[in-house]
Amino acid sequence: MTHLETAQEIAKAVDQAFADFEKIDNEAWNAKPNPEKWSKKELLGHLVDSASNNLRRLVVGQYEQGTKIVYHQDEWVAYQDYQSAPVEELKTLWLLLNRQYVRVIKNIPEHKLQNVCDTGKGTVALHTLAYFIEDYLVHLNHHLTQILKQ
């Protein structure tokens, strides 16, 4: 799949999920399976963080080779206190970040897709921009399945 096709798939998944979110009531958004597990709201916050971190990688990665952009997911979710955020705000933030993410993907020149960013925590872990685009769709679908399951 090309990066443009992946962008279309991301857009479709986001639009469908955003519509499906209406079927989730407030109680379900807030329920935590156990104290160590994220609620649906925190999972959505995690997807907000994923979108913003990957957006940064796609932008910076076009003009800086090998820049280090590390993401500590548990800290991001905890420090942003998604559990107490209004779910309508989170849904809107997530939707808009993903629309921007798709817009950025569509504007990446083909020759920049092999540029790399370092995501290693205490080590070097180089990934191409093409990898971030493809992996984002897989990651997005994984967590949307978790959010949308009953």
Side-chain angles (χ1 to χ4, degrees):
M1 188 177 323
T2 69
H3 72 291
L4 297 177
E5 292 168 332
T6 303
Q8 290 175 322
E9 288 299 311
I10 292 168
K12 282 188 346 192
V14 166
D15 288 343
Q16 183 61 58
F18 191 75
D20 291 343
F21 288 165
E22 294 307 310
K23 301 173 191 164
I24 303 172
D25 65 29
N26 233 12
E27 185 177 331
W29 276 112
N30 287 295
K32 289 179 74 77
N34 70 56
E36 287 79 42
K37 295 284 185 184
W38 290 337
S39 66
K40 291 179 187 295
K41 197 190 293 186
E42 288 169 316
L43 282 167
L44 185 60
H46 169 63
L47 288 177
V48 165
D49 297 341
S50 294
S52 57
N53 275 277
N54 280 294
L55 185 58
R56 183 163 184 249
R57 290 170 179 154
L58 294 186
V59 171
V60 176
Q62 289 185 67
Y63 63 84
E64 283 183 16
Q65 277 283 29
T67 193
K68 191 169 227 19
I69 301 175
V70 179
Y71 168 48
H72 297 272
Q73 65 183 18
D74 292 325
E75 288 83 351
W76 276 62
V77 169
Y79 297 157
Q80 296 199 71
D81 192 21
Y82 289 123
Q83 188 63 19
S84 69
V87 73
E88 292 303 318
E89 289 180 12
L90 286 178
K91 291 189 303 189
T92 301
L93 178 59
W94 175 78
L95 176 69
L96 295 176
L97 276 170
N98 276 280
R99 286 186 178 163
Q100 181 64 16
Y101 190 69
V102 167
R103 189 171 15 262
V104 168
I105 292 170
K106 288 179 177 178
N107 285 293
I108 297 175
E110 192 76 30
H111 69 278
K112 299 269 186 177
L113 290 171
Q114 295 311 306
N115 286 11
V116 295
C117 282
D118 179 2
T119 61
K121 298 174 186 172
T123 184
V124 174
L126 297 176
H127 299 286
T128 65
L129 300 187
Y131 168 84
F132 292 123
I133 294 166
E134 293 163 15
D135 184 63
Y136 185 80
L137 178 58
V138 172
H139 183 255
L140 177 68
N141 284 328
H142 169 72
H143 288 303
L144 288 177
T145 298
Q146 290 178 307
I147 291 170
L148 295 169
K149 75 178 179 182
Q150 297 303 350

